[in-house]
Amino acid sequence: MVSMMRLMTIVLGAMVGVGVPARANPIDVAIGTMNEFRSQSALPVLVPSPTLNDIASAHAADMMRNGFVSHKGSDGSQLSNRVSDAGYQFCFVAQNIEAHAASFEDALKKWDAYPPTRKILLHRKAREIGIAHVGDGIWVMVLARPGCDYMASL
């Protein structure tokens, strides 16, 4: 028989969510996965950027809404235009896209297997990251380094 104190703890825990694991944000998990991947090559940790997340999200939504897959936006914009228009000053910016990956891990495997996208994953200048996922498999990842003077970007 459960004691009254134990029963109250169970009920209160259920009411306030104590002991109930929080559901992990898939974008946070993807960023952690990306940092683990880069750590295997002794590269710096990428810091999440709300601005880069917004840029990635807008491009992913544009591709899904307009039924295309391209680094170029439906309005003809390039990544550098979208990043500058968001007010993000950068000395390095790059993007990987994937249209048929059920999970970030699947997208990462595809990017890792293709030399041009692998180069972006492992770029030494990258310091910040934004990731978006829409629909049934569209992933957009933007890596960047804000600001920079000449010596810092080497």
Side-chain angles (χ1 to χ4, degrees):
M1 187 163 169
V2 178
S3 72
M4 185 57 116
M5 183 61 100
R6 175 81 175 127
L7 182 59
M8 287 176 56
T9 301
I10 292 169
V11 170
L12 286 174
M15 289 172 54
V16 298
V18 173
V20 177
R23 192 173 155 125
N25 177 329
I27 299 305
D28 291 340
V29 171
I31 291 169
T33 300
M34 183 61 184
N35 278 323
E36 176 62 31
F37 175 83
R38 286 174 55 89
S39 74
Q40 296 168 12
S41 296
L43 292 168
V45 168
L46 298 170
V47 177
S49 165
T51 302
L52 296 179
N53 276 341
D54 291 346
I55 293 163
S57 294
H59 189 61
D62 182 30
M63 289 193 300
M64 187 173 85
R65 182 176 48 254
N66 293 297
F68 72 97
V69 179
S70 175
H71 290 283
K72 187 183 286 188
S74 63
D75 61 357
S77 64
Q78 298 293 336
L79 173 63
S80 59
N81 304 120
R82 295 188 295 272
V83 174
S84 294
D85 289 350
Y88 187 99
Q89 295 182 355
F90 63 93
C91 65
F92 165 78
V93 67
Q95 173 179 262
N96 281 345
I97 58 175
E98 176 55 49
H100 304 287
S103 68
F104 182 77
E105 291 79 10
D106 290 342
L108 184 59
K109 285 177 189 173
K110 290 179 180 188
W111 293 332
D112 186 33
Y114 182 58
T117 53
R118 178 178 169 75
K119 184 176 179 180
I120 292 170
L121 296 174
L122 299 175
H123 207 291
R124 293 191 174 281
K125 289 183 182 177
R127 294 294 183 271
E128 295 188 349
I129 186 170
I131 298 177
H133 175 240
V134 297
D136 290 330
I138 297 173
W139 290 89
V140 175
M141 179 182 67
V142 178
L143 301 181
R145 183 172 185 151
C148 297
D149 61 21
Y150 175 73
M151 294 305 291
S153 65
L154 295 178

